[in-house]
Amino acid sequence: MDIALAGQTIETARRNLTAHLQAAAIETPELDARLMIGAMTRLDLTGIIRFAERRLTTLEASRLKDLARRRIDGEPVARLLGHKEFWGLEFQLSPATLVPRPDTETLVETTLDILRADGDMMRALRIADLGTGSGAILLALLHELPHAIGIGTDISFAALQTARSNAARLGLIARATFSGGNFAAALAAPLDLIVSNPPYIRSADIHTLSAEVRDHDPHRALDGGDDGLDAYRVILGQASGLLAPGGTLILEIGQHQSNDVTRLALAAGLAPQGPPRADLSGVPRALAFRHLPR
Ligand code: SAM
Ligand code: GLN
């Protein structure tokens, strides 16, 4: 790929880069070009427009060329920039963390809707996020729930380091703890809320995922075992022993997993709380269960 950027204005570089990404069949060429130029020049969208006539330095141009090459080779923009926005907050990423997905905002929304309906938004809730990755779900919840405290667990220590540093950057470190372990194995009762977006892709299906996911997200963030349900079996085996009476478990699910996960939850003594919640593409994405007092 030969893309001339040196000495060009920000505006011309943006147009050239967009055309190159488009020619390479990148799905969102304009947005990607803007994000990459923004990252190189440290300008936001308004800045890019305001300084449209400023010329790129040689260093900026060569770095941008490198980013463009990696993007065309299939690296997601979030990996190139090293961060991703989730729930309006910025999360740093590392090779050990999944890029948080817009789909997962459905889980956050479902959780907050339930808490709002129960009048629990201002309570000093105790929350656990199992398989926290970048910390996205837990930190989005703590951001909305001023008196809640939470613990994020992960099997990857490298992910936990990233999550902890995100908590610090977002000003939430005083209310967030992170701990290694097999989902909730290291946690103590009682918890008011357990949330999780566990790995749920069937092992045999991982090769069918888009290259952006398959080649750049960590496999242990994706791989749900032979039938995709391994993590749910573990989590559902742990949850009812940890939840306070009336406590809630909210799980993200993959396509066609709603019935299987509901069946596993019922067998674990948890009662479905409302119908599955769909994501923006209409796919059932979040399931809520309640631990009823016996
Ligand atoms: N919660 C993050 C999000 O929604 O962006 C990450 C979700 S990712 C799909 C699943 C996470 O579970 C990964 O961070 C992975 O390292 C972690 N994980 C996998 N197996 C685990 C286990 N046995 N115990 C704890 N965490 C695990
Ligand atoms: N949402 C991811 C995907 O389909 C999978 C993440 C997961 O296994 N929880 O690419």
Side-chain angles (χ1 to χ4, degrees):
M1 177 196 61
D2 197 24
I3 168 167
L5 295 170
Q8 291 191 348
T9 64
I10 286 180
E11 178 53 20
T12 319
R14 192 182 63 74
R15 272 195 263 114
N16 279 351
L17 187 54
T18 303
H20 260 80
L21 296 178
Q22 198 157 24
I26 299 294
E27 238 173 69
T28 51
E30 266 174 48
L31 175 66
D32 292 9
R34 188 159 54 66
L35 288 171
M36 284 150 74
I37 289 185
M40 271 313 95
T41 55
R42 295 175 188 273
L43 293 171
D44 59 11
L45 179 56
T46 346
I48 289 180
I49 295 166
R50 187 155 166 230
F51 299 105
E53 295 310 312
R54 150 144 117 63
R55 289 186 188 280
L56 292 181
T57 66
T58 318
L59 186 63
E60 283 170 345
S62 89
R63 285 195 179 149
L64 198 53
K65 221 164 157 168
D66 182 51
L67 286 188
R69 199 171 300 122
R70 287 166 58 193
R71 182 68 193 102
I72 287 169
D73 284 346
E75 219 170 309
V77 181
R79 293 274 171 216
L80 297 178
L81 306 187
H83 55 84
K84 170 81 182 176
E85 192 183 299
F86 178 84
W87 202 258
L89 305 171
E90 189 178 283
F91 289 86
Q92 301 292 311
L93 304 172
S94 67
T97 60
L98 186 93
V99 177
R101 309 283 204 268
D103 294 342
T104 302
E105 293 183 340
T106 304
L107 185 153
V108 174
E109 223 166 60
T110 305
T111 306
L112 294 173
D113 284 350
I114 291 174
L115 295 175
R116 224 173 267 124
D118 290 350
D120 279 348
M121 296 291 286
M122 290 296 156
R123 261 184 70 198
L125 297 164
R126 297 151 295 190
I127 306 174
D129 175 18
L130 313 180
T132 196
S134 60
I137 300 171
L138 179 67
L139 298 173
L141 289 175
L142 292 181
H143 179 75
E144 300 293 335
L145 303 166
H147 303 295
I149 58 167
I151 183 159
T153 72
D154 210 285
I155 197 87
S156 159
F157 270 76
L160 290 168
Q161 282 175 319
T162 304
R164 179 173 290 128
S165 112
N166 280 325
R169 294 169 59 98
L170 294 169
L172 296 166
I173 194 72
R175 294 189 286 127
T177 308
F178 295 93
S179 171
N182 185 16
F183 295 113
L187 303 187
L191 297 166
D192 302 298
L193 194 62
I194 300 179
V195 289
S196 183
N197 169 22
Y200 54 60
I201 308 292
R202 293 193 308 182
S203 308
D205 290 345
I206 289 189
H207 76 280
T208 68
L209 299 173
S210 73
E212 293 198 0
V213 174
R214 185 189 61 222
D215 300 340
H216 298 282
D217 277 319
H219 275 205
R220 61 178 163 186
L222 302 172
D223 193 340
D226 284 349
D227 63 358
L229 302 171
D230 281 1
Y232 297 110
R233 287 193 191 87
V234 176
I235 291 169
L236 289 164
Q238 298 168 332
S240 44
L242 289 171
L243 283 171
T248 308
L249 167 69
I250 297 149
L251 296 172
E252 177 165 325
I253 53 166
Q255 290 206 348
H256 314 302
Q257 289 180 323
S258 171
N259 291 344
D260 285 333
V261 174
T262 301
R263 181 175 44 76
L264 291 170
L266 286 168
L270 293 162
Q273 160 93 352
R277 282 278 293 251
D279 63 21
L280 290 174
S281 356
V283 176
R285 193 54 75 189
L287 296 179
F289 302 97
R290 188 143 282 189
H291 182 223
L292 299 174
R294 286 174 199 273

